[in-house]
Amino acid sequence: MGIKKVGLNRNIKPQSLAEKVFFLDFMKGLKTTIKHLFRKVITVDFPYEVVEPAPRFRGVHGLRNVDGTEKNDFNAWVKKLKIKPPEKGETRCIACKFCQAACPVPEIFVIKAEKLDVPKDHPHHGLKVLTQFDMDLGKCMFCGLCTLACPTICIIHTDIYDISTYTRRGWILNKEQLSQIADDFIARRGKEKYDEKSEWPDYQKIWNDADTARAKAWDNNPPQFGPNYADQN
Amino acid sequence: MPWISEEKLNRLQEKFSFIKILDNPQAPVIEVPKENLIDFLKFLKEDPDYQFKMFIDWTVIDHGKKADPRFQGVLILMSPKSWERVIIKVWATDERLPSLITLWKGAKWAEREAWDMFGIKFDGHDNLVRMFLWETYPYHPLRKDFPVRGYEEVELPSLNETERFDQLEGTMNYSRKHTALPTLEDLEITQKARMPNKKSQMVLNWGPLHPGTHGTIWFLFDMEGEYIKDCDIIIGQLHRGVEKLAENLNVQQIIPYTDRMDYIAAINENHSVCIAAEKLLGIHEKIPEKAKYIRTMMAELSRINSHLLWLGTYALDLGALTMFLYTFREREKLMDIFEGITGARFTINYFRVGGVYADLPYGALDAIEHFIKDLPQRINEYETLLTRNRIWLKRNVDVCIIPEKDVYQYGLTGAVARASGVPYDLRKIDKYDAYGEVEFDIPVGEKGDSYDRYLVRMEEMRQSIRIVEQCIAKLRKFSKNDPFFYEPEDRRMKITIDGRGTKLKKGEVYAGADNPRGELGVYIYMPKDGIKPYRFRLRSGAFYNLQVFTKAIIGRPLADAITLLSTIDPVVGETDR
Ligand code: SF4
Ligand code: SF4
């Protein structure tokens, strides 16, 4: 077993007489702090300057709408759960409640789907639509299990972290609000996070390297990104 | 797996006819009758061949209302001679067990916790009061007949505050009732019960809300002038009942709850749960190599993160404000790395039973490399500021010495144990994940004073850098298509990334990881296959490490309390669970 012994007199020399008399320990310390005095500022001046969260950031949830980037098995799932095939711009949610099942706090969700009230000969007869999807984010711990469970990549995490409200009522988001949040997010940063089949691509970056605020926090010397693995490009 | 060997077990069986060796595939379990427990343990502790003298954990299982006897004590011991563990079980007839405080002083808090949570009485305990809850609380919440939501009996209408008559009608409404809350009288009774024989006129209260206590710890000091004569600690202000919650969740859902325990090193807490569940399922060796290296690397980065926070706040408490600013600058970069890879800066939930939930994003290894390249020089800077500074030496050298025997007596783990000269490190003993394949040294102190604890943690950061470098070099060689999550070959086994349907196996296991704050051990007991763990015990390193505070502070001036607390470095989320 590799053991390294540490201790005063073991790997640390005690103070010598010269150090004691001439306050050399303080001098050395001051030299370090004075060096730092001349370095560039690294403080990000929030809220005038904001660091953009990473693509994977787990913020407020959103419900994605159909926009042509669904997974290949999307239609199969729609059929299986007897949901009215959604048009472009309608929600991807098929009311399978997988998200609720995966969630450690299932009472966050209220999900309801109702049968369409159409005559028998209508092609949508007997099919359902999502009528209610409420989330109480006050109970959520942003663990991300719901987004991993969703078969249609409908429920997603966005990069919004500011959810303060005056009452608990403000944390309850309904279907429309959630869809709006997702739409905004996809328009803003969808390309960074998802590929054309809504999966996480391997070019998804650890964070946006064009972000100047983050570069500042990295001593104005941010890392240059390259591939992780030998066969990645 | 370092468990007691077959041969030693057989010899025990020959010598003591009353013991029963249970058939459990994951770990050897010995069942001992209650009457013979103390004698048997004395032998185990003192016999030169066995020397199971290190206390690890002492807890209780509730087998349900119908079982008779209903409760069972579980003791886990470690032998520092051969680094082997053993599990000992004993039935608690009449809801009573013999107290072990004559053998291990660390059993004191463990027994108080068992009394608090299960209502088991310990014969021979010197002051059996509650551990987390207040003295007048009427229930024992970890009993199986106590509901998860508790008994909602106090009215708290503020929960439903509304704005402009906006009524919270319908399903998302909060109940107006809340579970019991302590009143001021309750707290006074609690405080008196914790220190029944105080000597001085006045007991000095430090905390529960004091910046120096790093959380909500409430210290009681019985003083004689400047010097502390007696001390007790009231914790539990952050008690959320993670063990109770865990009994109603599947194992992947428990992981986000452990983020909220040691919130400074959330990755390491996740790690413990993953290792324990994987060992119970018997799949720990089969986890994909890539996942193993990613986990090892992340766990070490988390250790650096945690130690940086420790160093900053420790120096801040002793009056060096600059240090705090410097370490938080480095920590910020680490948080960025975590955010990019896992999706969260603090409550990370990245590890899964079976691997990790996603592969590394583009540029992750470069960012880590960039950070790691810079760090050794920064640590040297910190050391120039502190290590040989005369004030630092005066405040730390020979302050609050924890001798080696206290490590065994109190079950101390992590840097506190290593500073006292015990090279106890699960990374070397258990070799979980990729720790068997990377090279690193265990820093070991000599005296066990605060200065040694400081040096050990500083050296640990350097060793962590070494490990991370090796992990990066190894990870570079993998292909982007290599799996990062275990797919079971066995069709009956089901493990999913999102947790739905993940099943645990029958059996019992104790496993853990060496976390920055000591060993977080997880003991899972499953009487049959199932989704929810029947008993999910979290053996908190910070909890047992904090216990030694009450001893090491005796006879020291009050100012040393800050030094000692900072060098023990507990985090309240983990001590209280
Ligand atoms: S993030 Fe976690 S807690 Fe929040 S809704 Fe999703 S699964 Fe539930
Ligand atoms: S898992 Fe996805 S599709 Fe299913 S109910 Fe939840 S959001 Fe809708």
Side-chain angles (χ1 to χ4, degrees):
Chain A
M1 242 169 17
I3 289 178
K4 181 164 177 177
K5 301 206 161 158
V6 297
L8 199 61
N9 297 322
R10 273 172 150 184
N11 68 338
I12 306 292
K13 272 195 291 198
Q15 283 194 322
S16 63
L17 188 66
E19 270 177 309
K20 273 189 193 150
V21 174
F22 296 108
F23 285 85
L24 289 184
D25 48 340
F26 287 2
M27 295 301 163
K28 272 192 204 144
L30 276 175
K31 206 175 112 198
T32 313
T33 42
I34 288 171
K35 241 187 353 208
H36 276 83
L37 203 61
F38 297 104
R39 294 171 78 134
K40 267 200 197 155
V41 175
I42 56 157
T43 322
V44 177
D45 211 0
F46 188 84
Y48 305 107
E49 225 178 339
V50 181
V51 176
E52 190 185 49
R56 287 188 178 180
F57 187 76
R58 299 201 300 259
V60 174
H61 298 72
L63 281 184
R64 284 190 73 176
N65 289 334
V66 174
D67 55 1
T69 64
E70 290 75 41
K71 287 211 302 195
N72 292 337
D73 58 354
F74 179 64
N75 289 331
W77 276 106
V78 168
K79 220 171 182 178
K80 203 160 151 196
L81 280 131
K82 299 212 173 59
I83 294 284
K84 178 187 88 76
E87 314 270 317
K88 229 177 188 157
E90 283 181 342
T91 183
R92 286 182 183 187
C93 182
I94 50 171
C96 63
K97 301 195 183 175
F98 285 180
C99 47
Q100 192 171 17
C103 180
V105 200
E107 63 261 36
I108 287 175
F109 294 91
V110 179
I111 306 171
K112 279 205 189 99
E114 276 168 24
K115 276 219 172 95
L116 281 172
D117 184 21
V118 287
K120 253 202 174 121
D121 48 351
H122 194 279
H124 292 159
H125 178 74
L127 298 182
K128 293 182 286 182
V129 282
L130 182 79
T131 51
Q132 192 185 7
F133 194 108
D134 291 346
M135 280 186 83
D136 180 357
L137 288 184
K139 291 177 186 161
C140 174
M141 53 178 164
F142 300 95
C143 64
L145 289 172
C146 52
T147 57
L148 292 172
C150 184
T152 61
I153 317 210
C154 169
I155 188 164
I156 55 162
H157 280 295
T158 66
D159 61 354
I160 300 165
Y161 49 81
D162 182 5
I163 53 165
S164 44
T165 71
Y166 284 104
T167 62
R168 283 160 201 257
R169 183 77 187 80
W171 286 327
I172 300 171
L173 302 182
N174 61 25
K175 194 171 105 215
E176 284 71 37
Q177 287 166 315
L178 288 166
S179 296
Q180 190 59 45
I181 291 172
D183 277 349
D184 292 351
F185 175 72
I186 294 297
R188 234 172 339 115
R189 311 198 45 187
K191 289 255 155 38
E192 256 179 80
K193 186 162 177 175
Y194 299 104
D195 63 8
E196 61 282 357
K197 287 284 169 226
S198 295
E199 300 278 9
W200 286 7
D202 66 353
Y203 56 79
Q204 184 192 57
K205 281 193 187 140
I206 177 165
W207 60 74
N208 180 4
D209 44 3
D211 184 358
T212 47
R214 203 186 285 267
K216 204 169 156 190
W218 276 75
D219 284 340
N220 303 298
N221 175 23
Q224 300 303 315
F225 296 156
N228 292 324
Y229 304 117
D231 58 350
Q232 201 177 10
N233 39 46
Chain B
M1 278 290 284
W3 289 100
I4 184 169
S5 63
E6 192 107 349
E7 179 254 321
K8 276 186 188 164
L9 269 181
N10 292 341
R11 269 198 286 142
L12 272 180
Q13 177 80 76
E14 268 165 39
K15 195 164 159 58
F16 300 98
S17 54
F18 51 77
I19 66 166
K20 211 161 82 194
I21 291 165
L22 301 185
D23 173 37
N24 177 45
Q26 288 90 358
V29 182
I30 306 176
E31 202 181 288
V32 187
K34 198 167 113 181
E35 314 71 80
N36 309 91
L37 182 70
I38 298 286
D39 293 334
F40 176 69
L41 290 180
K42 234 184 217 141
F43 173 81
L44 265 190
K45 187 181 163 194
E46 277 152 20
D47 187 82
D49 274 355
Y50 288 87
Q51 287 192 22
F52 283 88
K53 60 180 178 182
M54 185 164 179
F55 176 80
I56 299 286
D57 201 11
W58 177 215
T59 185
V60 171
I61 301 174
D62 178 4
H63 286 273
K65 237 178 168 165
K66 286 193 213 103
D68 184 43
R70 179 175 168 183
F71 297 98
Q72 194 176 30
V74 181
L75 176 69
I76 298 158
L77 296 176
M78 178 67 134
S79 158
K81 180 173 163 257
S82 49
W83 298 121
E84 288 175 337
R85 260 191 230 109
V86 64
I87 299 180
I88 295 154
K89 285 173 118 182
V90 51
W91 286 103
T93 37
D94 309 325
E95 309 195 353
R96 298 187 93 86
L97 277 172
S99 172
L100 304 184
I101 53 170
T102 46
L103 292 169
W104 289 283
K105 296 206 185 94
K108 190 170 170 184
W109 277 21
E111 284 168 7
R112 278 172 58 184
E113 190 188 340
W115 157 245
D116 192 0
M117 293 292 139
F118 291 94
I120 301 290
K121 288 242 166 57
F122 288 87
D123 300 319
H125 194 282
D126 54 356
N127 183 20
L128 193 64
V129 289
R130 283 180 179 265
M131 191 72 239
F132 298 130
L133 297 157
W134 59 98
E135 224 44 57
T136 44
Y137 186 72
Y139 311 109
H140 298 289
L142 269 181
R143 290 189 169 203
K144 284 282 173 190
D145 47 0
F146 186 84
V148 204
R149 294 193 70 99
Y151 296 109
E152 296 175 3
E153 45 203 17
V154 193
E155 181 141 55
L156 260 189
S158 63
L159 282 177
N160 286 318
E161 249 179 331
T162 49
E163 200 181 22
R164 284 190 228 102
F165 311 109
D166 174 16
Q167 282 306 310
L168 264 179
E169 296 287 329
T171 40
M172 292 289 191
N173 211 342
Y174 289 82
S175 150
R176 291 175 78 84
K177 296 277 193 177
H178 196 276
T179 49
L181 298 164
T183 60
L184 272 181
E185 285 89 73
D186 291 330
L187 291 181
E188 209 173 311
I189 296 169
T190 310
Q191 191 209 25
K192 291 222 171 90
R194 298 291 159 90
M195 224 183 221
N197 12 341
K198 62 163 184 159
K199 284 173 218 85
S200 63
Q201 192 81 41
M202 196 187 73
V203 170
L204 184 79
N205 286 268
W206 183 34
L209 290 172
H210 185 282
T213 62
H214 298 240
T216 52
I217 314 181
W218 179 359
F219 293 86
L220 306 173
F221 295 127
D222 196 2
M223 312 277 296
E224 194 183 291
E226 265 292 287
Y227 294 88
I228 294 165
K229 287 285 149 223
D230 196 8
C231 164
D232 200 21
I233 303 174
I234 303 180
I235 54 174
Q237 286 90 346
L238 208 62
H239 178 66
R240 293 145 298 179
V242 176
E243 290 174 23
K244 183 84 185 172
L245 289 168
E247 286 173 9
N248 293 282
L249 298 167
N250 73 44
V251 67
Q252 309 280 34
Q253 288 174 330
I254 297 168
I255 297 172
Y257 282 94
T258 58
D259 284 339
R260 276 113 189 127
M261 285 173 27
D262 184 351
Y263 36 79
I264 299 159
I267 292 187
N268 303 77
E269 306 289 281
N270 300 168
H271 209 168
S272 289
V273 178
C274 294
I275 292 164
E278 283 161 8
K279 289 206 166 145
L280 183 76
L281 291 166
I283 58 168
H284 185 65
E285 271 68 46
K286 299 180 207 150
I287 303 300
E289 283 289 297
K290 188 158 136 192
K292 279 189 183 174
Y293 277 98
I294 294 178
R295 294 210 305 205
T296 309
M297 179 178 76
M298 295 300 279
E300 286 312 309
L301 286 174
S302 173
R303 187 185 306 276
I304 296 174
N305 183 349
S306 167
H307 282 359
L308 283 174
L309 180 121
W310 157 80
L311 180 63
T313 51
Y314 170 33
L316 177 71
D317 285 346
L318 298 192
L321 177 71
T322 326
M323 207 60 219
F324 178 72
L325 301 174
Y326 289 176
T327 58
F328 268 58
R329 174 190 58 199
E330 258 59 70
R331 209 168 155 254
E332 188 61 28
K333 298 178 191 168
L334 262 176
M335 299 285 240
D336 277 355
I337 291 172
F338 290 157
E339 178 193 338
I341 295 176
T342 72
R345 296 169 75 83
F346 221 50
T347 48
I348 285 165
N349 189 25
Y350 177 56
F351 293 3
R352 290 288 187 276
V353 175
V356 294
Y357 90 74
D359 206 343
L360 297 173
Y362 189 84
L365 290 182
D366 290 300
I368 297 171
E369 226 165 30
H370 187 85
F371 170 75
I372 284 298
K373 216 168 67 209
D374 207 26
L375 192 62
Q377 189 206 334
R378 297 299 167 96
I379 294 177
N380 287 345
E381 266 174 19
Y382 306 152
E383 290 233 47
T384 337
L385 280 175
L386 295 178
T387 306
R388 295 177 68 226
N389 180 303
R390 67 192 68 197
I391 304 173
W392 193 254
L393 290 168
K394 283 240 163 70
R395 295 268 341 235
N396 285 297
V397 177
D398 290 336
V399 168
C400 296
I401 295 175
I402 298 174
E404 186 182 336
K405 72 171 196 309
D406 276 3
V407 173
Y408 307 134
Q409 281 279 333
Y410 285 88
L412 307 182
T413 46
V416 180
R418 294 194 276 269
S420 299
V422 182
Y424 178 70
D425 191 332
L426 284 190
R427 293 176 292 175
K428 287 274 188 202
I429 296 166
D430 271 357
K431 298 197 172 42
Y432 54 89
D433 276 352
Y435 284 114
E437 284 136 69
V438 291
E439 260 178 50
F440 65 101
D441 298 330
I442 313 175
V444 171
E446 191 176 24
K447 266 189 287 187
D449 58 352
S450 295
Y451 194 67
D452 278 356
R453 289 191 281 281
Y454 159 75
L455 289 179
V456 164
R457 287 209 178 86
M458 293 309 271
E459 186 57 38
E460 260 178 35
M461 278 201 263
R462 296 210 172 88
Q463 297 299 334
S464 293
I465 295 172
R466 258 177 88 188
I467 300 176
V468 173
E469 277 168 354
Q470 293 172 51
C471 287
I472 294 177
K474 187 86 191 183
L475 276 168
R476 291 263 187 220
K477 297 202 188 95
F478 282 100
S479 153
K480 65 177 181 185
N481 300 321
D482 282 338
F484 53 83
F485 193 75
Y486 171 70
E487 297 290 340
E489 311 96 53
D490 185 355
R491 302 209 97 206
R492 279 162 302 165
M493 191 184 275
K494 195 173 170 202
I495 302 170
T496 54
I497 290 190
D498 57 24
R500 283 175 305 133
T502 303
K503 238 186 175 177
L504 291 176
K505 253 208 234 157
K506 177 175 186 286
E508 55 194 293
V509 77
Y510 174 87
D514 188 81
N515 288 5
R517 283 174 186 72
E519 164 183 349
L520 180 80
V522 179
Y523 170 75
I524 308 177
Y525 170 71
M526 294 290 293
K528 56 176 191 288
D529 290 7
I531 289 177
K532 297 169 181 171
Y534 188 82
R535 173 86 173 99
F536 194 85
R537 161 75 178 166
L538 291 157
R539 182 252 184 234
S540 157
F543 177 76
Y544 287 112
N545 284 0
L546 183 62
Q547 188 178 1
V548 83
F549 183 96
T550 56
K551 182 185 174 234
I553 198 66
I554 306 287
R556 304 290 318 176
L558 182 62
D560 285 351
I562 299 252
T563 318
L564 180 58
L565 186 68
S566 294
T567 50
I568 288 179
D569 190 29
V571 69
V572 187
E574 197 190 294
T575 57
D576 290 8
R577 277 157 282 155

